[in-house]
Each structure stands twice: as C-alpha cells, then as structure tokens.
Amino acid sequence: GENVEQHPSTLSVQEGDSAVIKCTYSDSASNYFPWYKQELGKGPQLIIDIRSNVGEKKDQRIAVTLNKTAKHFSLHITETQPEDSAVYFCAAREGTGNQFYFGTGTSLTVIP
Amino acid sequence: EAGVAQSPRYKIIEKRQSVAFWCNPISGHATLYWYQQILGQGPKLLIQFQNNGVVDDSQLPKDRFSAERLKGVDSTLKIQPAKLEDSAVYLCASSLAGGGETQYFGPGTRLLVL
C-alpha cells in the first residue's frame, strides 16, 4: 500500500513569517492529495487539495505544490497568524483503490 | 448544513469490556469512513462504506472490531473485547461519493481503555 511521510513533526514560526510542510508518497499511481488542519479536540478539516494533473494550487494565504516526478507535495502558508496554530496532516489517495493514507502530522505554532 | 455527528465524545472503559460508537454523516453523503487516530499519528482507515455496502475493511481487526451501516445512513463501530492498545480517537468521515471526493470529518470519539 501507499506510504506517506511528513516533515517536520513540529514547526515554530513568528507571526507574519511563512511556514512550509513537506510530504512524500510512494505510490506513483496516487492521484489526489488533500491537506487537513486539526485543532485540539476537533476532527481534521480540509484546507486545500490538489489533483495529480495540477502542479500548484493557491487559496489566499495557503498554497500546495505537487511534484509527481519526485513524488512529493508541500503546503505553504504565508503571513502566518496565531490562529494558524494547529496540527496539519497531508494525505494521499492511492490510485488503485479509494483508501486515503495520512502523514504523521506537523504541529505548527505561530508565535505572536 | 449540519456536519458529521458522532457520539459519545468521550468514553472510558476497562479492558475486555465492549464499547460502541455512533456516527451520523452529512445528509446525502453515500460514503462513510471510520478512522482510528492514535495520539501523535495520522488517521488510519478502519472501514469504508458505500451506501450500506463495505468497500474496504482490510485494516479492520475483525476479531474484535465490527461495523455496520444499516439503511445506508447512520453507522456504528463496535469493539469487543477492548484492549489497552485500542485507546485512540475514532473519527467518522463522510463524502458524497468515494474516490477523490472531499471527506468531512466529525469531532471524533476519544476512547481510553484502562
């Protein structure tokens, strides 16, 4: 099955700086890559996603890039704010089935 | 639009006891997922339903875990008997269809097995 690795596990940035979280996947047939934000005591919430036929997608301060050749994708958050502090998960949907595989999460802290 | 509902939110049981979790997906969502999230890890799929049929249960420990989705709407996940390593958050998610459709997660049920 698919294997998704996520780095870093923890990330601290000053308010206003950018944050980057990276994920790699193993199944070249994986074709859909969502990113989730999970706040304490809540379920994961989709913040942005990208499909394998697209290289980059932006939504206000959030962007995701995908490199299919290298099998990695990244989340970019610009102009970080304290409310961006949360755990972020990447995921990949395997190409041969419907199962999603999640990374181990990145705990982001934005320091005011 | 109401989100995915789960109950209970918290449960504490002794090992070897049984426990059941309930999920009500977003109205009209055909696909329902149960995930197990152990502290410090990402969610791991336990079972996926399409309407009331099972699509994938390859990672469900079938000797102790069972799940059903009667009438293709609500779902229950049961553990019997529970082990210490079952302590985790159990997340339910739903989507309009399977594949690459957006999954919407509920708040989860936090289970502690003593």
Side-chain angles (χ1 to χ4, degrees), chain A residues 70-85:
Chain A
K71 290 188 284 188
H72 67 70
F73 55 113
S74 300
L75 177 71
H76 304 253
I77 306 174
T78 59
E79 301 172 20
T80 54
Q81 301 167 3
E83 50 265 39
D84 294 330
S85 296

Side-chain angles (χ1 to χ4, degrees), chain A residues 80-97:
Chain A
T80 54
Q81 301 167 3
E83 50 265 39
D84 294 330
S85 296
V87 178
Y88 291 81
F89 290 97
C90 63
R93 172 184 169 254
E94 63 177 354
T96 54

Side-chain angles (χ1 to χ4, degrees), chain B residues 50-68:
Chain B
Q50 182 77 13
N51 297 308
N52 60 349
V54 175
V55 173
D56 187 338
D57 63 356
S58 57
Q59 298 193 85
L60 186 74
K62 297 180 185 64
D63 57 333
R64 298 184 300 106
F65 286 66
S66 65
E68 60 182 9

Side-chain angles (χ1 to χ4, degrees), chain B residues 4-59:
Chain B
V4 176
Q6 290 188 247
S7 68
R9 292 296 311 276
Y10 305 92
K11 191 73 177 178
I12 300 174
I13 61 172
E14 301 276 338
K15 60 183 179 183
R16 291 186 290 273
Q17 285 186 324
S18 62
V19 64
F21 312 127
W22 173 82
C23 173
N24 181 235
I26 293 173
S27 178
H29 281 196
T31 307
L32 185 147
Y33 312 79
W34 282 103
Y35 287 89
Q36 180 191 58
Q37 185 176 23
I38 293 173
L39 188 63
Q41 298 182 19
K44 183 185 83 170
L45 181 70
L46 293 175
I47 189 167
Q48 178 182 342
F49 292 94
Q50 182 77 13
N51 297 308
N52 60 349
V54 175
V55 173
D56 187 338
D57 63 356
S58 57
Q59 298 193 85

Side-chain angles (χ1 to χ4, degrees), chain A residues 31-32 36 38 40-46 49 51 89 93-94 97-105, chain B residues 9 33 35 37 40-43 45 48 55-56 58-59 91 98-103 105-107 110:
Chain A
N31 54 22
Y32 174 63
Y36 291 90
Q38 187 171 28
L40 198 62
K42 297 183 179 180
Q45 180 183 16
L46 179 75
D49 57 9
R51 300 185 187 274
F89 290 97
R93 172 184 169 254
E94 63 177 354
N98 293 320
Q99 184 166 158
F100 285 81
Y101 293 84
F102 284 77
T104 50
Chain B
R9 292 296 311 276
Y33 312 79
Y35 287 89
Q37 185 176 23
Q41 298 182 19
L45 181 70
Q48 178 182 342
V55 173
D56 187 338
S58 57
Q59 298 193 85
L91 294 164
E101 294 295 329
T102 301
Q103 295 184 50
F105 284 84
R110 186 174 299 275

Side-chain angles (χ1 to χ4, degrees), chain A residues 32-84:
Chain A
Y32 174 63
F33 307 92
W35 284 90
Y36 291 90
K37 176 183 180 181
Q38 187 171 28
E39 297 175 319
L40 198 62
K42 297 183 179 180
Q45 180 183 16
L46 179 75
I47 55 172
I48 196 167
D49 57 9
I50 191 167
R51 300 185 187 274
S52 58
N53 59 348
V54 176
E56 182 176 359
K57 184 177 178 180
K58 290 186 69 174
D59 182 3
Q60 298 182 359
R61 297 187 296 110
I62 296 173
V64 56
T65 58
L66 172 65
N67 184 325
K68 288 173 55 179
T69 303
K71 290 188 284 188
H72 67 70
F73 55 113
S74 300
L75 177 71
H76 304 253
I77 306 174
T78 59
E79 301 172 20
T80 54
Q81 301 167 3
E83 50 265 39
D84 294 330

